[in-house]
Amino acid sequence: MKGKIIKGIGGFYYVKAADNTVYECKARGIFRKDGIKPYIGDDVEIETDGEKGSIKEILPRRNSLIRPPVANIDLIVIVAAAANPEPNLFMLDKLLVSAEINEITPIILINKTDIKDGSEIFSIYKETGYTVLSVCAAQDKTLSCLIPFLEGKTAAFAGLSGVGKSTILNTLTGNELETGSVSEKIKRGRHTTRHVELMELKSGGHVLDTPGFSSFEISGIKSGELYKYFPEIRRLSGMCRFKGCSHINEPDCTVKEHVENGRIAVSRYESYKELYNQLRNVKEWE
């Protein structure tokens, strides 16, 4: 029987099958032996005995992420708060690069616009060509601007704790996920999501609630490839004086000229430099 893994807790995987029954399954020992771990969103073959079963085969994945451990994602909705907590643009840029590497379409959702309009974030990322939406999830009980992008898709929601992911998902799914407040002392969100879960939308499609990101690393690419995953830098490829320009120290660099004249956001370029240096310091054997 075929199905999709919708949740995993304590070594058990909950698989929704074609008959809409959810089966509690264990992964066969051969997966552990081969170093393969089932991910939320995996399409699988299962064998069942009543309400319980075992995962017999993991079907080919279109894509996958290690953190959070999810598979077969069409969209990643990156939620950033306009304020409270203050936006972390470097983390946002890392999430965008991760989406680009994994060929997942990103959407940037600016929340808490009742506190601050978020126009600065909006202008930075709209210029790159990404889809950017602004909402106030605490007041908007429809999120009508977002729903058309989700229909028939599997979308992961990502972002730092406290930006309002759970509130947004409560509105979209009708579920009652625990929501967290933001610490007045450190202005950071309290982590509320404890596991990854695939939830069905009334309008069709699925969404994934994922634990808040505190840290994760870009992997799978070399420093010289990073420019490909910044659209505004990628568009300028080959226009610098030197072939293979890193856009860091070389003279007559078109990218740096665009930063200086305001055509590329300084924050985006700073993120590029930071990620470039991180990737450059990764040893080949790592």
Side-chain angles (χ1 to χ4, degrees):
M1 185 185 303
K2 290 184 179 180
K4 184 181 285 289
I5 298 177
I6 60 171
K7 183 168 61 174
I9 301 177
F12 290 94
Y13 298 92
Y14 296 84
V15 178
K16 187 171 185 179
D19 62 359
N20 285 326
T21 302
V22 176
Y23 296 92
E24 182 184 271
C25 297
K26 292 284 284 185
R28 285 189 167 182
I30 192 170
F31 293 126
R32 290 191 297 274
K33 181 180 177 182
D34 293 341
I36 300 172
K37 182 179 179 180
Y39 282 2
I40 311 306
D42 268 332
D43 295 311
V44 295
E45 287 270 6
I46 63 172
E47 292 179 337
T48 63
D49 178 15
E51 295 180 354
K52 298 183 182 296
S54 62
I55 297 173
K56 178 182 177 182
E57 181 183 357
I58 298 173
L59 301 178
R61 294 166 173 163
R62 298 196 309 276
N63 54 49
S64 63
L65 299 175
I66 296 173
R67 179 182 171 88
V70 296
N72 301 317
I73 303 302
D74 299 304
L75 299 171
I76 180 165
V77 180
I78 303 171
V79 184
N84 196 31
E86 287 299 309
N88 184 327
L89 298 186
F90 178 61
M91 183 61 67
L92 175 51
D93 290 335
K94 286 178 74 174
L95 286 165
L96 287 168
V97 170
S98 181
E100 292 260 359
I101 290 171
N102 290 281
E103 298 182 352
I104 301 171
T105 301
I107 292 176
I108 299 166
L109 189 66
I110 305 169
N111 190 27
K112 301 190 180 182
T113 53
D114 56 324
I115 302 174
K116 192 175 179 180
D117 65 13
S119 57
E120 182 180 353
I121 308 173
F122 190 95
S123 62
I124 288 172
Y125 293 98
K126 198 67 177 177
E127 287 297 316
T128 67
Y130 290 121
T131 298
V132 187
L133 305 173
S134 297
V135 298
C136 174
Q139 298 176 1
D140 185 351
K141 300 305 179 184
T142 63
L143 297 178
S144 56
C145 66
L146 179 60
I147 288 174
F149 294 96
L150 304 178
E151 291 177 351
K153 306 290 186 182
T154 297
F157 278 66
L160 294 174
S161 297
V163 296
K165 296 190 306 297
S166 294
T167 299
I168 291 166
L169 288 165
N170 284 342
T171 298
L172 292 171
T173 64
N175 292 342
E176 288 299 327
L177 301 172
E178 183 183 351
T179 59
S181 59
V182 174
S183 166
E184 285 301 320
K185 184 177 181 181
I186 59 176
K187 296 299 181 182
R188 289 170 57 189
R190 296 185 175 92
H191 173 67
T192 55
T193 305
R194 295 174 177 83
H195 61 269
V196 182
E197 182 173 356
L198 190 68
M199 295 173 287
E200 198 165 353
L201 295 175
K202 296 177 182 178
S203 58
H206 297 83
V207 292
L208 279 156
D209 189 15
T210 60
F213 287 86
S214 57
S215 66
F216 76 104
E217 299 304 322
I218 299 296
S219 61
I221 64 168
K222 296 180 180 179
S223 58
E225 301 172 309
L226 180 63
Y227 76 93
K228 299 177 184 177
Y229 306 104
F230 279 76
E232 65 271 53
I233 296 177
R234 182 173 65 231
R235 287 193 286 266
L236 301 175
S237 177
M239 296 176 65
C240 299
R241 176 181 173 186
F242 294 102
K243 185 178 180 180
C245 182
S246 69
H247 316 303
I248 305 291
N249 297 314
E250 296 89 339
D252 299 326
C253 170
T254 303
V255 170
K256 288 194 290 184
E257 289 175 5
H258 275 59
V259 175
E260 290 167 4
N261 63 31
R263 296 174 70 182
I264 290 179
V266 171
S267 65
R268 288 282 287 170
Y269 181 62
E270 291 299 320
S271 293
Y272 171 82
K273 289 196 298 182
E274 178 64 26
L275 289 172
Y276 182 92
N277 288 326
Q278 287 181 10
L279 291 168
R280 191 179 179 186
N281 291 330
V282 174
K283 295 181 176 61
E284 290 295 326
W285 55 266
E286 292 180 323

